[in-house]
Amino acid sequence: MGLSLGHSPSLRQTVAPGGPALGERESSFRRDIEGLRGIAILLVVAYHIGIPGFSGGFVGVDIFFVLSGYLITKLLVREALKTGGVNLVSFYARRMRRLLPACGFMVLAVCALGTRLFSPLEQSRLWPSALATAGYYANFLFMRQSLDYFEATTGGNPLLHTWSLAVEEQFYLVWPALVILAARSRRFSSALPVLLVAGSALSLGTCIWLTHVRQPWAFFASPTRAWEFGVGALASLVPTQIVERRRGWFRAIGWFGGAAVLAAALFFSTSTNFPGIAAMIPVTGAAAMILPGTNSPSTGVSRLLGISGLQWLGKLSYSWYLWHWPVIIGASVAGLAPTAIGRAGWGLASLAVAAVTYAIIENPVRFNPVLMRRPVLSLLVGALITVGGIGTALAWRQSVLATAARSPEAEIFGAVAARPKPAGCLAGYTDARVKQCLAGDKSASRTVVLFGDSHAEQWLPALEQVADESRFKIITILKASCPTARVPVYNPHLNRVEFECAKWREAALLRIRALRPDAVIATSSSMSYVAAPGKESGYATSSYEEWREGSRSTFAALESAGIETLVLRDSPRPNLDVPLCLSRADSKPWSVIPQQSCSRTPAEALDPLVLQAEEQAVRGLQRVHFADLTGEFCYSNVCAAIKRNVVVYRDSNHLATAFVKGLAPALARQLLPLLSSGSTRASSSSQFPNALAYER
């Protein structure tokens, strides 16, 4: 493939998020690229608002990546051919003027308004993302959080969208070096395509593999997104003469690309195994839409992209990308966007904010004549913005600490929500190995195995108290998001069926048989895995019947080994972040969340059909005993967020450590009879009717 830039129009374009400006004011203008940017931002905003029919609108970000690869490569290659190299100072000065001022202002606004809008607990979770955004590593922060089982959900983070800005910024650090490397070759025109193809192929292969193994890595990491920039870069190298000679073909290719982008936007969803192979559809589609406009800007899909509305949105796309998500999240936190129509209204409001930002910050700084003439000064301004952003994030952190010191309630909620110090005993998502830890009276002769997922682990503080008093040791065999029941588990964090869970479960049962403990306590987050009508849970793929049979199979395996097994009913699930809810109600009295709204009714927090399935699963098994401790959590009409003046949950479903310790007597009443020589059957009847008496 040869390089032919003599007939290629210069481009004065920017790509949101974080797109480049090519040639600045003196360059000609590609209306089709401007329009494609408008389509991309419309898709992203429609997806975030939740407009029906745009479940795959997130592919708008992939379109931005393709455009960045196209435009940046066009700029760098033109300069390399003209001067024999790349002026990195000028290159990064242009990137600074284009990206940092508007983004820095957005981060400053989020930090400042966040101190008023969000509760102290929320702010303690948000300030690290402000620091990561200012430091250009937000994608890696969110990648780590998405793979951390106990990490609070990032969905309500007003800076979540900045992951793609970080990918762009990291791309700018590497891409010029690739062009410079090719420029040193005597055959620049062939060396660069070879490097692009090789690098893109390696990136795509890694992306496809990681999408099936650890999807968040593939989604957030810049190396696994590099091929999308590479596709755009390769499109920029298609000789103008070829497009001219095959005008009809390229016009058809453009329409085909538009159809591919539309299909991805309409039919992709959060369940799509993305990026991986699926991302090739919108990526190649976007590249195909660019090509016809090289020399036929007023025909085919290029003509459609040139309509005035898309031109206006394309011009504002970077600022709108920056502002749409913080505005929508802020309105939701304030209770002002409870419906799709409300979110759409705030999406339009964010467009107004974007227009103001574009007029007073983005455009004036980008084309400031003093900065344009002095690239070094541009870099100094960029450095100041970066340092200022980091300083603002750290100041937000200090504000959070000061608030916690002044407010006992904020300190309490923060302590409750704090993740227990990991002991390395809970196997991770992709770990099929059995991790075995020892607790309790380690010198005792009697042994109790705690077996299950994190909802088994949450009982460990109570079990340790019982073990210390009754002299037995505890062996934990635990894995995150993996139930004891023999059922397949779809893991939304990995975006695939977690085959490691089945391997771990069978290995765990073999280990338990080998240990021959005096008793096993088995429990799981059962309501997470059962697909109840109207329930939204990424893990929920099993029917009630499958859960019953899968549970029966596991319990029968323990029964056949002659092991006494205590099966605990899963604790009630509030399905909202309880400490965060209480923190909002306490610190933001104007919000729509009164403290009592953080509690749930039994109908909301429990599933009687899951209870029925588990009771049927143990029926007839002489050594398997079922215990329902619901009465320790719920009154007759409410499963409280605070009980006996103690916060019950540390997040949306796990019990708080202080509350669990108070359940030691109730656990002992169920467990100790199984450890005695004359083991009696633990009660399978619900303690629920006696809840009021227990509370008094």
Side-chain angles (χ1 to χ4, degrees), residues 551-552 555-557 559 617-625 681:
S551 298
R552 177 79 176 189
F555 301 153
E559 168 95 350
V618 305
R619 193 168 294 162
L621 300 178
Q622 299 303 310
R623 294 182 179 274
V624 182
H625 319 285
R681 186 172 181 84

Side-chain angles (χ1 to χ4, degrees), residues 217-517:
W217 285 13
F219 189 90
F220 287 111
S222 48
T224 52
R225 292 289 191 153
W227 69 273
E228 301 186 25
F229 297 92
V231 169
L234 288 168
S236 75
L237 302 183
V238 175
T240 306
Q241 296 92 327
I242 292 180
V243 179
E244 179 65 30
R245 288 198 300 266
R246 299 287 188 270
R247 185 179 302 178
W249 282 100
F250 278 95
R251 188 179 301 131
I253 288 172
W255 285 116
F256 175 81
V261 168
L262 180 62
L266 296 179
F267 298 112
F268 283 8
S269 68
T270 53
S271 62
T272 302
N273 207 21
F274 196 89
I277 294 176
M280 295 179 69
I281 296 175
V283 167
T284 56
M289 293 178 74
I290 299 171
L291 289 174
T294 301
N295 56 4
S296 301
S298 60
T299 62
V301 72
S302 299
R303 184 175 183 180
L304 175 64
L305 294 173
I307 64 176
S308 58
L310 290 178
Q311 296 299 298
W312 184 70
L313 290 175
K315 179 178 67 174
L316 298 178
S317 58
Y318 179 50
S319 286
W320 198 14
Y321 186 87
L322 289 176
W323 286 107
H324 81 283
W325 186 242
V327 170
I328 291 171
I329 291 299
S332 298
V333 169
L336 300 176
T339 65
I341 294 177
R343 290 193 298 274
W346 286 104
L348 291 175
S350 68
L351 180 57
V353 178
V356 173
T357 302
Y358 178 83
I360 67 175
I361 297 177
E362 181 183 336
N363 218 37
V365 174
R366 175 185 169 195
F367 296 121
N368 182 278
V370 175
L371 294 178
M372 290 177 68
R373 287 194 303 268
R374 300 176 181 176
V376 174
L377 182 58
S378 294
L379 294 181
L380 289 175
V381 171
L384 288 175
I385 293 173
T386 300
V387 172
I390 293 173
T392 300
L394 294 177
W396 194 5
R397 175 181 180 272
Q398 290 303 116
S399 173
V400 171
L401 295 176
T403 300
R406 294 192 304 266
S407 171
E409 291 80 7
E411 187 174 4
I412 290 171
F413 297 140
V416 169
R419 172 180 173 176
K421 185 177 181 180
C425 300
L426 186 72
Y429 295 138
T430 58
D431 197 345
R433 298 171 301 168
V434 174
K435 293 185 176 182
Q436 184 176 307
C437 291
L438 193 63
D441 186 347
K442 299 177 182 179
S443 63
S445 59
R446 295 186 299 177
T447 302
V448 172
V449 169
L450 183 61
F451 172 42
D453 58 12
S454 61
H455 277 221
E457 184 191 43
Q458 69 184 358
W459 284 95
L460 187 57
L463 185 59
E464 285 181 312
Q465 287 190 197
V466 179
D468 290 340
E469 295 174 1
S470 302
R471 298 188 61 78
F472 62 83
K473 63 173 173 277
I474 305 165
I475 295 177
T476 64
I477 299 180
L478 307 163
K479 177 173 168 60
S481 302
C482 186
T484 58
R486 281 170 162 160
V487 296
V489 174
Y490 180 86
N491 191 321
H493 295 269
L494 301 175
N495 208 21
R496 62 171 172 82
V497 173
E498 189 181 337
F499 59 84
E500 297 92 342
C501 175
K503 291 182 179 180
W504 173 88
R505 187 188 302 112
E506 298 310 309
L509 289 171
L510 288 175
R511 180 70 58 85
I512 292 171
R513 290 174 67 96
L515 290 170
R516 296 201 58 80

